Amino acid sequence: MSDSALWTALADPHRRAIVALLLERPRPVGEIVEACGLSQPSTSKHLKVLREAGLVRVRQDAQRRVYALDPAPIAALDAWLAPYRRLWNSSLDVLGRRLDQTSDDSSQPPAPKD
């Protein structure tokens, strides 16, 4: 699995929708097709990209193929994003303090006019 394959796989909104479905539980292809509203060939192409990127794994269950998320690439992505998340959290903390200050200012009665 290369980093570029991972990012390419996740760049497509249909593939992100499939990943979100598989986050809930492993699913057979038919369920994924139905939930995503795509054709079976289109869904299979998206699943192939996700599989080649290492994001999903497949197992045969009688006549069905059941797909599940592979957590390792998601953990690697989470580790890569960690420094950026700290930056974002810092910005959110500043925004939160500003909103608290604005809220405190607006809860005070207005100053009397001369």
Side-chain angles (χ1 to χ4, degrees):
M1 157 197 61
S2 73
D3 287 347
S4 67
L6 180 64
W7 289 109
T8 300
L10 292 173
D12 184 275
H14 295 296
R15 290 192 286 267
R16 288 194 307 270
I18 292 170
V19 167
L21 280 172
L22 296 177
L23 181 61
E24 297 170 6
R25 63 181 168 81
R27 295 176 188 262
V29 175
E31 274 187 39
I32 298 169
V33 167
E34 187 176 316
C36 291
L38 300 171
S39 69
Q40 195 280 328
S42 179
T43 301
S44 291
K45 287 179 185 177
H46 287 301
L47 286 166
K48 180 181 178 186
V49 171
L50 292 169
R51 192 175 63 246
E52 289 175 349
L55 285 162
V56 300
R57 56 182 180 259
V58 62
R59 69 176 168 79
Q60 196 75 27
D61 181 24
Q63 299 298 319
R64 303 181 318 164
R65 289 179 181 257
V66 178
Y67 284 83
L69 277 182
D70 186 338
I74 303 294
L77 179 63
D78 183 58
W80 186 88
L81 288 169
Y84 301 97
R85 191 176 303 109
R86 284 193 298 272
L87 175 66
W88 182 249
N89 287 340
S90 173
S91 297
L92 288 175
D93 290 344
V94 170
L95 175 62
R97 285 191 296 274
R98 178 67 180 131
L99 291 173
D100 288 344
Q101 180 184 15
T102 303
S103 175
D104 291 344
D105 292 348
S106 66
S107 65
Q108 296 178 7
K113 294 186 177 184
D114 292 330

